[in-house]
Amino acid sequence: MGKNLTSRAEDYSKWYNELVVKADLAENSGVRGCMVIKPYGFAIWEKMQAALDKMFKETGHENAYFPLFIPKSYLSKEASHVEGFAKECAVVTHYRLKNAEDGSGIVVDEDAKLEEELIVRPTSETIIWDTYRKWIQSYRDLPLKLNQWANVVRWEMRTRLFLRTAEFLWQEGHTAHATEQEAIDEAELILKVYADFVEQFMGVPVIKGLKTESERFAGAVETYCIEALMQDGKALQAGTSHFLGQNFAKAFDVKFATKEGKQEHVWATSWGVSTRLMGALIMTHSDDNGLVLPPNLAPIQVVIVPIYKGEEQLEALGSKINPLVAELRSKNISVKFDDRDTHKPGFKFNEYELKGVPVRLALGNRDLENGTIEIARRDTLEKSSVPIDSVVARIEALLPEIQENIYNKAKNHQQEHITKVDSYDEFKKVLEERGGFLSAFWDGTKETEEKIKQETKATIRCIPIDVEQENGKCMVTGKPANHRVLFAKAY
């Protein structure tokens, strides 16, 4: 199985696009801007979903499901929200088709026009808050902490598999609280959940921070985010958590009776991560040989490839491999015994390297005689021979070792590509020659932020929240600034 991948150094974007397709993760569909997620890619997403779902439920959240369609009037109730999404909305105007009278095919039945257009959800705040109005009457109904796993549509003009598609999968949490502080605590809790998931399961280091006013979610008072750095020096927003204040509660008149009997508007949050995380996973760890998957999310953690000639040899190897498979599975390690006779071992080695399987075992007749088995790591491409009787213990120790190594490699790359700059000229030079995160003072104005964006294509990715305050002068205007922010070019 020849990979023939374009190298990252030659063309990073082309390498990414080729890898997604050749590793059997996803492909473009017949619908403009939409993708087909293939079984291997979806298996990774399912593992992400399962881990996050468990974390949400452990922090007191429940799952629900809300409609795909949103009446246009709902979207217009919160002004900044509709302004933020208006250009990305797909609109349903009719509910019936008919055969054209001239026999040319199917056409829209003009007599079947909807009284009110329906928006295919770009996000669900409006439909959910209209529902919450019916559910929330008293302080006893709070907090209300729901999540839904769903698809959304945002009509993107430029699309790329996983990173930006017209339709994508995600989860979106929506919570209602009695006090402002409870809602802020919720938004910060979810930020921690996201950071823990991305670092512990995906092996991707992130920086937690706040978005600037111009980069906030439409309708939010504050947007918290986690930012990751890809191998090409560009940033990727890996997750956001929004403190919505009382904006949506006021727009949809969601009030509750306090313990004192007063009527007050509730306080809200919303938060989400999407299949864009698949893009982050691929771009953070993978190499010119293909995917490199962290064991915590790999659909197949261990693959066993027999090297044999004829049925008799395969049976002899199988008698040793099958008990091994059973023992690994009893320890919750996902394993595949690839005994296909339609492909040679070399093809299989290539295939599983391309697909990023963390550990590969190979067993042939000579290994059987010696009582050994070859073990290969995908992260370092190292091979070694170990006694068959001790291979399960070795794999149990090796999988967390690979997980840690993958994270540390990405963390080192991140740390090496955070550069402090103090002048605008230095900023431009480092941005073009090195990329990565640039830590610089900013005067806090939209005008300066927009000037930098227009002149360099770099945006403020976040105002870091886990750093000490530092006073200085804005690199562009020279005005006083009380903290550094992180700039980068981004996906």
Side-chain angles (χ1 to χ4, degrees):
M1 183 181 186
K3 300 187 191 88
N4 297 321
L5 279 175
T6 299
S7 72
R8 291 163 294 168
E10 183 184 344
D11 189 329
Y12 191 83
S13 179
K14 191 176 179 184
W15 163 82
Y16 172 81
N17 293 334
E18 288 177 357
L19 180 53
V20 171
V21 173
K22 290 187 176 184
D24 246 7
L25 300 178
E27 64 185 29
N28 289 304
S29 74
V31 183
R32 192 207 70 81
C34 295
M35 63 178 168
V36 174
I37 304 176
K38 299 182 79 173
Y40 192 64
F42 200 77
I44 299 170
W45 174 245
E46 283 181 315
K47 293 200 80 167
M48 289 182 171
Q49 190 178 21
L52 271 170
D53 200 61
K54 185 171 184 283
M55 295 170 87
F56 294 152
K57 286 170 180 170
E58 285 174 348
T59 48
H61 301 85
E62 297 178 291
N63 287 336
Y65 187 81
F66 294 85
L68 172 68
F69 301 115
I70 300 172
K72 187 178 71 174
S73 58
Y74 286 20
L75 211 64
S76 61
K77 286 187 177 182
E78 214 287 330
S80 59
H81 188 68
V82 69
E83 185 181 346
F85 285 102
K87 294 179 181 178
E88 299 177 343
C89 288
V91 185
V92 180
T93 58
H94 292 74
Y95 60 85
R96 190 166 58 222
L97 301 173
K98 66 178 183 179
N99 288 313
E101 292 179 4
D102 62 4
S104 59
I106 295 174
V107 296
V108 172
D109 186 343
E110 291 300 330
D111 294 330
K113 194 173 190 303
L114 293 171
E115 287 185 22
E116 180 180 3
E117 293 96 334
L118 296 173
I119 311 302
V120 183
R121 65 171 166 234
T123 181
S124 298
E125 275 78 7
T126 54
I127 191 77
I128 286 175
W129 280 92
D130 180 72
T131 307
Y132 280 5
R133 184 179 68 250
K134 305 165 195 169
W135 292 358
I136 298 170
Q137 306 298 327
S138 157
Y139 70 90
R140 296 182 184 88
D141 302 320
L142 299 172
L144 184 57
K145 303 200 291 185
L146 299 186
N147 173 64
Q148 78 166 347
W149 293 94
N151 62 336
V152 291
V153 171
R154 295 180 185 175
W155 211 253
E156 301 280 1
M157 298 310 294
R158 289 183 176 182
T159 59
R160 185 184 292 183
L161 294 170
F162 290 122
L163 295 175
R164 198 172 290 277
T165 49
E167 178 197 15
F168 54 90
L169 304 181
W170 77 346
Q171 60 73 213
E172 50 178 319
H174 300 270
T175 69
H177 304 266
T179 69
E180 179 180 20
Q181 191 58 52
E182 279 182 30
I184 291 171
D185 290 346
E186 165 77 7
E188 292 177 350
L189 168 68
I190 294 300
L191 186 73
K192 182 181 184 305
V193 168
Y194 284 159
D196 288 348
F197 167 75
V198 173
E199 294 194 335
Q200 293 169 16
F201 285 85
M202 293 176 60
V204 176
V206 294
I207 292 171
K208 292 183 282 190
L210 294 169
K211 287 292 188 184
T212 62
E213 184 181 348
S214 62
E215 294 284 336
R216 278 180 203 146
F217 176 75
V221 175
E222 200 76 85
T223 289
Y224 301 82
C225 64
I226 51 173
E227 294 287 328
L229 188 66
M230 304 298 98
Q231 290 179 62
D232 64 344
K234 285 186 179 179
L236 188 143
Q237 180 179 285
T240 50
S241 177
H242 316 289
F243 168 56
L244 302 177
Q246 295 176 308
N247 292 348
F248 285 90
K250 289 177 178 176
F252 288 87
D253 196 29
V254 184
K255 292 179 180 177
F256 72 103
T258 67
K259 288 180 181 179
E260 295 74 32
K262 296 179 181 177
Q263 288 286 314
E264 291 185 5
H265 287 102
V266 301
W267 297 83
T269 78
S270 67
W271 28 274
V273 295
S274 75
T275 37
R276 168 174 266 235
L277 289 179
M278 290 285 291
L281 186 73
I282 296 160
M283 289 197 291
T284 301
H285 303 309
S286 302
D287 59 25
D288 293 346
N289 294 306
L291 290 178
V292 175
L293 294 178
N296 288 351
L297 293 177
I300 305 166
Q301 294 172 309
V302 179
V303 64
I304 306 174
V305 178
I307 302 169
Y308 65 96
K309 290 181 181 177
E311 284 296 319
E312 192 175 326
Q313 284 190 12
L314 178 58
E315 282 182 24
L317 294 171
S319 67
K320 201 70 181 176
I321 292 171
N322 286 321
L324 190 58
V325 169
E327 190 177 353
L328 286 167
R329 285 178 178 162
S330 73
K331 297 179 181 297
N332 292 319
I333 294 170
S334 58
V335 57
K336 179 178 180 179
F337 174 20
D338 190 346
D339 59 354
R340 289 177 296 171
D341 60 6
T342 51
H343 297 86
K344 292 182 178 179
F347 177 96
K348 295 175 184 179
F349 290 171
N350 230 356
E351 178 182 13
Y352 295 116
E353 192 170 277
L354 176 64
K355 289 191 168 186
V357 175
V359 175
R360 186 186 74 227
L361 302 179
L363 185 69
N365 261 10
R366 188 174 297 174
D367 300 303
L368 210 55
E369 291 168 7
N370 295 334
T372 60
I373 192 166
E374 183 186 82
I375 187 165
R377 293 174 57 153
R378 178 61 186 89
D379 60 331
T380 62
L381 301 176
E382 293 172 331
K383 297 177 186 176
S384 58
S385 187
V386 299
I388 293 178
D389 294 342
S390 64
V391 71
V392 172
R394 177 70 187 114
I395 289 169
E396 281 189 289
L398 187 57
L399 290 174
E401 187 182 318
I402 292 171
Q403 182 80 26
E404 185 179 5
N405 181 54
I406 285 174
Y407 174 80
N408 288 339
K409 184 178 179 183
K411 182 70 174 177
N412 289 338
H413 178 267
Q414 180 209 65
Q415 292 299 305
E416 289 166 4
H417 289 82
I418 299 176
T419 308
K420 278 191 175 184
V421 294
D422 292 311
S423 75
Y424 196 30
D425 286 340
E426 184 188 7
F427 176 89
K428 292 175 183 174
K429 187 173 187 291
V430 173
L431 185 67
E432 288 307 312
E433 294 178 1
R434 184 172 170 75
F437 287 124
L438 282 75
S439 176
F441 286 110
W442 163 61
D443 62 15
T445 67
K446 287 183 179 179
E447 291 76 19
T448 302
E449 184 180 6
E450 185 61 26
K451 174 183 170 70
I452 295 167
K453 183 178 179 179
Q454 291 298 323
E455 293 179 356
T456 70
K457 308 299 182 191
T459 54
I460 297 176
R461 302 314 306 158
C462 70
I463 304 166
I465 56 179
D466 291 334
V467 296
E468 291 183 17
Q469 289 291 311
E470 185 181 352
N471 294 318
K473 293 182 178 179
C474 175
M475 65 173 176
V476 176
T477 64
K479 293 178 181 176
N482 58 10
H483 50 237
R484 290 180 180 269
V485 298
L486 289 184
F487 290 85
K489 290 183 179 180
Y491 284 97

